[in-house]
Amino acid sequence: MTRRTVARALVYLSLIAATVVVLLPLVVVLLTSLKSEREMTRSGGALSLPDNLLNFHNYVSAFRDGEMLSAFANTAVILLVSVGGTVLIGSMTAYAIDRFTFRLRKLVVALFLVAALVPGVTTQVATFQIVNSFGMFDSLWAPIALYMGTDIVSIYIFLQFVRSIPVSLDESARLDGANAFTIYRKIIFPLLKPAIATVVIVKGITVYNDFYIPFLYMPSEDLGVISTSLFRFRGPYAAHWEVISAGAILVILPTLIVFLSLQRFIYNGFMRGATR
Amino acid sequence: MTDTTEKAAVKTTTGAASTAPSPAPAPRGTRVWRGVTPWLFLIAPLALLITFTYAPVANMLAYSLTDWDGVSPELRYIGAENYAEIFTREDLFRVFFVSGYYLVASAVQIVAALYFATILSFNVRFRNFFKGVLFFPYLINGVAIGFVFLYFFQDGGTLDSVLNLFGVESDRAWLGTPVSANTSLAGVSVWRYLGLNFVLFLGAIQSIPGELYEAAELDGANRWHQFRHIIAPGIKPVLTLTVILSISGSLSVFEVPYIMTGGATGTETFVIQTVNLAFRFGKTGLASAAAVVLLLIILLVTWIQRRLVPDDKVDLV
């Protein structure tokens, strides 16, 4: 009996330790973001509480000087277009592959499958030349095209769902005179809602957080997305940890809100998306 | 396996059904139209796939045999020289050793994720809170994580302050020497990615039917036995997949070290080096060869995984 109690206590102890390890760095940054410049130099240590818990001065500087407004706007545009495109392209691909038998179908499937094995980071040097030759370098189109590119994970998720939609639905619609496009638009697409939610979440978080692609393809300052704009804090604020912290919290906050409101869907989305 | 055969059976019957009701063969125009329809759906995805995946791979192979600088109009063929350079120049080769730190970190990460997934799939108070806390770092922006941990490892930053609380007088630059810098960065990687492995394992464990545990408990199995004989075999496919993803992940680390140290003090990883070679020093040919080497290693690792665990889940058809 006592052994069991000890085991339970150890389990909780490990969970609490993990919670501290995860939250401590974040909480300290939150505290730092609320301190004034003078408090920072007074060196009360990183763990000390700020004098005024409602001192949002640093947030104002970070938001204004870091041009976070245009960063959020750019991110929003890229996010909307590329997530919308991914949903459209993924569902069309899945529909065509699952509902039609045509010559070269096996080859098409193989092309998508093999592409899944090529990690994006390895081909970036050559991809850069192609994006450049289209004149998309240093424009919002570069990340949009690359994100839409071909997201194998989303195609796979859609394929799973298209398969679960009974073919008899297509057939009865066809007897009523619907063509393939009407069937896709009126029957398949609406029934894919759960899959669309999954893809929107997984893809949305990936795009919001990506640093590599916007960093390489959009060096202009006015084309900053949230990652690259935040990255630029390094230079001008090098020693001003209170402003950098405020910027970091500004970027994390939307993620936290989305996570808390959609928790269950997010877990499911990642389980479905990542296991492939 | 049975699923595919069933699928094939369904396919043929539906194919027959769609032609059966029409009394006369469809007019020529309709038949052509029907043959074209799938391609109308596939044209955009295929164009993107070829432009942004296959064309780059082909170009990359070609560039890797030249000494191209990325700008000049002419490419000069130099054979396998770039490859020879990668494997003989010690400063280029060194980045592989940096991956070692991340490989060790991955092992720690998988064990910890497995532990937390196991205990949180049983009845624990505040389960959803702990789940959320463990998973959340995975969703945070990489640049923000970089800054959070730059401050964490700063002189007089979070880590030093915590150690002071426990009376440990630490006066060291955590990112100052190659060993401690790489260890610190690998630690950040564990902090960041533990949640993903954890959620994958949790999902796999939850798909194991609950009666198995009950039956095992009746037979007198304790928690360790249950883990050893029910959970571990039950999640084997996810476990191997995670190992593979970790290996290719360890080889392609970029974001956090680039943001935190810029690759200084011996923390340069393979991808940082490739990006620098191509975009800073204009050595597109050499960078392409390096990328080809990385791609080949990752394909090899994936191939080994497919051999070890024949994965029947990856049938796209």
Side-chain angles (χ1 to χ4, degrees):
Chain A
M1 202 58 205
T2 42
R3 244 188 94 187
R4 216 160 184 157
T5 335
V6 171
R8 272 199 95 62
L10 284 176
V11 163
Y12 281 104
L13 209 64
S14 66
L15 284 169
I16 290 167
T19 308
V20 171
V21 170
V22 169
L23 294 185
L24 188 77
L26 297 172
V27 170
V28 170
V29 166
L30 178 66
L31 292 180
T32 308
S33 74
L34 298 171
K35 289 177 183 169
S36 69
E37 210 182 322
R38 201 140 39 87
E39 280 176 86
M40 289 300 287
T41 47
R42 213 172 51 202
S43 81
L47 298 178
S48 63
L49 284 177
D51 291 346
N52 175 9
L53 276 173
L54 295 175
N55 168 26
F56 294 119
H57 182 76
N58 298 321
Y59 286 87
V60 177
S61 341
F63 197 79
R64 204 187 40 217
D65 303 341
E67 287 176 48
M68 293 305 261
L69 193 63
S70 90
F72 275 108
N74 286 336
T75 306
V77 172
I78 294 174
L79 202 63
L80 278 176
V81 181
S82 55
V83 170
T86 304
V87 166
L88 210 60
I89 283 175
S91 56
M92 286 196 316
T93 313
Y95 174 67
I97 289 179
D98 190 67
R99 289 300 210 251
F100 291 92
T101 37
F102 51 95
R103 279 205 295 159
L104 302 180
R105 178 165 163 274
K106 282 225 165 92
L107 175 74
V108 170
V109 171
L111 280 179
F112 281 110
L113 256 184
V114 172
L117 300 176
V118 179
V121 287
T122 59
T123 51
Q124 225 49 249
V125 177
T127 308
F128 183 86
Q129 305 298 336
I130 287 179
V131 170
N132 202 10
S133 69
F134 283 134
M136 292 193 293
F137 175 67
D138 213 14
S139 79
L140 291 181
W141 289 110
I144 288 173
L146 290 171
Y147 292 141
M148 277 201 319
T150 350
D151 186 354
I152 312 296
V153 175
S154 67
I155 292 178
Y156 185 73
I157 294 170
F158 282 125
L159 208 54
Q160 298 283 313
F161 269 82
V162 172
R163 271 184 207 170
S164 69
I165 300 172
V167 186
S168 54
L169 277 181
D170 297 32
E171 274 157 19
S172 54
R174 183 153 285 156
L175 287 180
D176 289 342
N179 63 25
F181 291 95
T182 324
I183 292 172
Y184 167 74
R185 207 165 43 106
K186 293 249 169 88
I187 297 178
I188 304 290
F189 197 77
L191 284 173
L192 283 177
K193 262 182 206 142
I196 293 173
T198 301
V199 169
V200 167
I201 287 173
V202 174
K203 189 79 184 176
I205 288 170
T206 317
V207 171
Y208 180 83
N209 285 336
D210 189 39
F211 170 70
Y212 194 56
I213 286 176
F215 174 71
L216 279 186
Y217 292 96
M218 299 195 304
S220 286
E221 219 155 293
D222 56 328
L223 288 177
V225 295
I226 55 142
S227 331
T228 46
S229 296
L230 185 62
F231 184 65
R232 289 196 187 108
F233 276 46
R234 262 198 95 157
Y237 301 106
H240 290 276
W241 276 105
E242 69 283 4
V243 181
I244 294 184
S245 302
I249 298 289
L250 270 180
V251 167
I252 296 175
L253 216 53
T255 319
L256 181 64
I257 293 167
V258 170
F259 175 62
L260 291 180
S261 44
L262 299 175
Q263 248 194 68
R264 198 158 47 88
F265 301 103
I266 288 181
Y267 290 132
N268 291 341
F270 274 94
M271 281 187 221
R272 215 173 272 144
T275 6
R276 269 198 257 156
Chain B
M1 199 59 214
T2 43
D3 185 47
T4 7
T5 34
E6 247 172 50
K7 188 99 207 147
V10 171
K11 270 268 138 58
T12 42
T13 48
T14 54
S18 59
T19 46
S22 54
R28 216 182 110 91
T30 328
R31 253 187 300 142
V32 172
W33 184 238
R34 192 157 293 171
V36 172
T37 314
W39 295 105
L40 292 177
F41 284 98
L42 285 171
I43 202 158
L46 277 178
L48 285 166
L49 179 72
I50 289 165
T51 323
F52 295 113
T53 303
Y54 286 101
V57 171
N59 286 348
M60 189 170 78
L61 289 172
Y63 295 157
S64 74
L65 301 173
T66 69
D67 64 352
W68 195 38
D69 58 4
V71 210
S72 72
E74 268 166 48
L75 281 76
R76 200 164 60 90
Y77 175 80
I78 55 163
E81 227 170 82
N82 287 325
Y83 292 96
E85 207 173 332
I86 289 168
F87 288 107
T88 48
R89 257 173 67 183
E90 205 247 324
D91 56 316
L92 289 181
F93 198 70
R94 212 176 36 208
V95 290
F96 283 107
F97 297 109
V98 175
S99 306
Y101 288 94
Y102 294 94
L103 275 176
V104 173
S106 301
V108 173
Q109 182 180 314
I110 289 173
V111 171
L114 207 51
Y115 167 76
F116 286 117
T118 309
I119 60 177
L120 285 177
S121 56
F122 293 107
N123 213 358
V124 171
R125 239 177 263 232
F126 308 115
R127 201 162 108 183
N128 285 331
F129 170 76
F130 289 124
K131 263 169 74 175
V133 165
L134 286 172
F135 183 60
F136 184 61
Y138 180 69
L139 302 177
I140 302 179
N141 189 288
V143 183
I145 290 180
F147 284 159
V148 166
F149 279 95
L150 262 181
Y151 191 56
F152 186 84
F153 291 118
Q154 272 248 318
D155 241 0
T158 316
L159 186 54
D160 285 347
S161 304
V162 171
L163 289 176
N164 272 337
L165 272 190
F166 290 99
V168 182
E169 201 57 53
S170 82
D171 188 28
R172 51 183 300 190
W174 294 101
L175 301 173
T177 68
V179 173
S180 76
N182 276 317
T183 313
S184 305
L185 291 176
V188 176
S189 149
V190 174
W191 186 89
R192 185 180 186 191
Y193 292 110
L194 179 85
L196 180 65
N197 290 353
F198 161 75
V199 160
L200 294 183
F201 292 153
L202 201 64
I205 292 175
Q206 271 160 8
S207 67
I208 298 171
E211 305 94 69
L212 282 181
Y213 302 118
E214 283 162 33
E217 221 149 299
L218 285 179
D219 290 342
N222 64 24
R223 280 277 188 265
W224 169 247
H225 290 143
Q226 289 180 15
F227 176 80
R228 174 81 188 70
H229 297 290
I230 302 174
I231 296 179
I235 64 169
K236 206 177 143 210
V238 178
L239 201 58
T240 41
L241 180 78
T242 308
V243 171
I244 300 307
L245 288 179
S246 302
I247 296 174
S248 58
S250 304
L251 288 165
S252 41
V253 179
F254 170 72
E255 244 181 6
V256 166
Y258 190 84
I259 291 157
M260 288 179 65
T261 65
T265 48
T267 58
E268 196 174 52
T269 66
F270 201 97
V271 178
I272 295 180
Q273 186 183 62
T274 310
V275 166
N276 279 344
L277 280 178
F279 301 110
R280 222 153 103 212
F281 306 124
K283 298 204 165 186
T284 305
L286 188 60
S288 299
V292 172
V293 170
L294 177 60
L295 180 59
L296 287 179
I297 296 175
I298 291 177
L299 289 182
L300 180 72
V301 170
T302 317
W303 180 76
I304 292 173
Q305 181 239 349
R306 292 276 148 86
R307 292 304 300 266
L308 288 180
V309 188
D311 195 353
D312 46 13
K313 272 163 88 191
V314 193
D315 62 326
L316 255 181
V317 198

